[in-house]
Amino acid sequence: MGNHHRFLGNKNYQTVEQCLQSLNRRHAELAPLAAIYQEIQEAEQAIEELESMCKSLNKQDEKQLQELALEERQTIDQKINMLYSELFQSLVPKEKYDKNDVILEVTSGRTTGGDICQQFTREIFDMYQNYSCYKHWQFELLNYTPADYGGLHHAAARISGDSVYKHLKYEVQRIPKVGLSSRMQYIHTGTMSVIILPQPDEVHVKLDPKDLRIDTFRARGAGGQHVNTTDSVVRLVHIPTGLVVECQQERSQIRNKEIALSVLRARLYQQIIEKNKCQQHSTRKLQVGTRAQSERIQTYNFTQDRVTDQRIAYEVRDIKEFVCGGKGLDQLIQRLLQLADEEAIVELLDENLKSPK
């Protein structure tokens, strides 16, 4: 009799108290969905009443009242569509990192592309800076390593704002397929990578100074010449993981160290996230890619004025407008988010259907 408090209906719960706590949590999760569904039912009932009213009209009042009823019907239909969209978004599993700020890194392909690829890397970095302005986000330059002829080897920036990681988490690689020079047209293929790292709070990633090797040296310009006379460049090596971060953006060694630490924390945080997301297949399907040409994510065909996202078979015309980082890029990102949400819902339904009853 000493175990009279045990709840035997479900082996997952050891006590009645634990069962009640779980039910309360579940109620809190479902209550918003139930409220939305109730609003939908009320709106559909209002449409039925409108239709019933229209059937009972006499000929004298029919035309004017039917026009008013049609306007009311359109308003209710819009509300129902909005409620269904809200219901769908409520069902999509949320990622706790979606609201995070990010660190953006772009890197030109090391073995392919040459000057054209480096120039394209600069254009893509500028595109994200323009997109940040379009979305009213803050864009803080962290590191910028220029190449010859106006190109870019590598750059990093911190982007802060409303749900930045949610919008940029699928931006992982781009490939300029066809390049154009000012004097002649030629076919050229190269690669560059885009890495989006959610920006952690310091409490999320703790760095032990014993795990760091810190090197300092003088900054070099695009042609290899020294550009200052002090050892302001900082390179951090995280010994346990082998991660390397270098910063020469500022003239101050202290400031460059702070920036490098920020980027290193973000990279370590990304590793933690990847471990936690190994079960989230929809995210893994879209967020793949390296700088290898065999793993194309997006292709830019300048002679045909076309951008193609291979993951979702999505094409955008007018590359010049697209790389300005405005509406065209935002439409592609919104399409990626929509498809990722649909995949997440399908997986959620599959898991629930497969789970034992």
Side-chain angles (χ1 to χ4, degrees):
M1 299 294 292
N3 289 334
H4 67 279
H5 62 283
R6 283 193 177 276
F7 180 73
L8 301 178
N10 191 326
K11 293 181 180 179
N12 292 328
Y13 303 119
Q14 293 182 346
T15 66
V16 173
E17 288 82 4
Q18 288 176 323
C19 180
L20 290 174
Q21 289 175 2
S22 179
L23 288 174
N24 287 335
R25 285 195 299 269
R26 189 61 175 157
H27 179 270
E29 293 172 358
L30 295 177
L33 300 179
I36 296 172
Y37 184 67
Q38 183 176 354
E39 282 192 71
I40 292 173
Q41 286 185 312
E42 292 173 355
E44 290 176 342
Q45 179 64 34
I47 288 178
E48 290 180 5
E49 292 174 359
L50 273 175
E51 291 176 346
S52 177
M53 181 191 71
C54 289
K55 291 179 181 178
S56 63
L57 293 175
N58 56 46
K59 292 185 178 180
Q60 184 177 357
D61 298 329
E62 184 175 355
K63 184 176 180 180
Q64 183 177 3
L65 290 178
Q66 278 193 345
E67 290 177 355
L68 292 174
L70 180 60
E71 292 178 5
E72 181 68 15
R73 170 67 184 266
Q74 290 174 341
T75 301
I76 296 174
D77 282 339
Q78 290 175 356
K79 180 180 179 180
I80 290 175
N81 290 334
M82 181 187 68
L83 288 169
Y84 272 117
S85 177
E86 188 177 342
L87 182 63
F88 176 82
Q89 287 299 319
S90 298
L91 291 170
V92 174
K94 301 297 186 295
E95 288 190 34
K96 62 180 180 180
Y97 321 105
D98 279 352
K99 294 185 179 296
N100 286 44
D101 298 333
V102 307
I103 287 180
L104 160 73
E105 291 189 275
V106 299
T107 305
S108 175
R110 294 179 181 176
T111 58
T112 60
D115 296 335
I116 294 295
C117 194
Q118 291 160 2
Q119 291 170 17
F120 182 76
T121 302
R122 187 207 67 219
E123 290 177 359
I124 293 299
F125 188 72
D126 292 344
M127 179 183 74
Y128 284 114
Q129 186 169 9
N130 294 335
Y131 185 62
S132 298
C133 181
Y134 177 82
K135 300 294 285 187
H136 305 291
W137 295 335
Q138 293 182 338
F139 190 94
E140 177 188 358
L141 188 64
L142 298 180
N143 200 11
Y144 197 92
T145 306
D148 295 322
Y149 308 110
L152 180 62
H153 285 299
H154 172 268
R158 180 185 291 109
I159 306 177
S160 308
D162 182 25
S163 300
V164 179
Y165 183 67
K166 176 181 178 181
H167 286 81
L168 297 182
K169 60 186 174 183
Y170 301 122
E171 299 294 292
V172 292
Q173 183 206 29
R174 295 166 187 275
I175 297 177
K177 184 175 178 58
V178 179
L180 297 176
S181 72
S182 58
R183 290 172 296 179
M184 60 182 293
Q185 178 175 309
Y186 59 92
I187 303 299
H188 177 87
T189 300
T191 66
M192 56 86 61
S193 65
V194 177
I195 300 174
I196 301 296
L197 304 169
Q199 180 67 63
D201 296 327
E202 290 196 19
V203 295
H204 291 141
V205 179
K206 294 183 179 180
L207 291 174
D208 189 337
K210 296 179 182 178
D211 292 336
L212 296 178
R213 190 182 82 229
I214 303 176
D215 302 323
T216 59
F217 47 93
R218 294 181 186 178
R220 294 180 180 272
Q225 72 277 14
H226 291 296
V227 295
N228 61 33
T229 58
T230 61
D231 293 339
S232 61
V233 181
V234 175
R235 177 189 292 136
L236 298 181
V237 180
H238 188 246
I239 299 171
T241 61
L243 288 174
V244 179
V245 177
E246 184 177 304
C247 182
Q248 66 172 21
Q249 182 62 29
E250 305 292 339
R251 291 187 176 273
S252 165
Q253 184 184 117
I254 294 176
R255 177 57 181 154
N256 283 333
K257 181 181 177 182
E258 291 175 351
I259 293 173
L261 283 170
S262 178
V263 175
L264 179 58
R265 284 195 181 93
R267 290 186 182 177
L268 290 171
Y269 189 47
Q270 178 70 13
Q271 291 185 350
I272 295 172
I273 291 173
E274 287 301 320
K275 291 179 181 178
N276 294 337
K277 290 200 301 189
C278 60
Q279 299 296 327
Q280 298 180 14
H281 303 296
S282 60
T283 298
R284 299 297 298 169
K285 286 178 186 175
L286 291 177
Q287 193 172 16
V288 295
T290 65
R291 285 193 289 270
Q293 291 189 20
S294 60
E295 297 182 4
R296 293 179 177 177
I297 302 302
Q298 286 180 356
T299 301
Y300 288 61
N301 193 313
F302 286 89
T303 56
Q304 297 180 13
D305 198 24
R306 182 182 72 241
V307 180
T308 305
D309 192 297
Q310 275 79 13
R311 295 166 295 183
I312 58 175
Y314 185 94
E315 285 191 356
V316 179
R317 296 288 178 174
D318 193 350
I319 290 182
K320 184 177 180 181
E321 189 277 334
F322 185 83
V323 297
C324 287
K327 183 178 179 181
L329 176 58
D330 192 51
Q331 288 176 337
L332 171 58
I333 288 175
Q334 295 302 329
R335 180 60 176 160
L336 282 167
L337 292 176
Q338 178 186 351
L339 290 179
D341 287 346
E342 291 173 1
E343 287 182 358
I345 288 292
V346 170
E347 289 175 5
L348 181 64
L349 292 173
D350 286 343
E351 289 173 4
N352 283 297
L353 291 172
K354 292 177 183 178
S355 61
K357 297 181 180 179

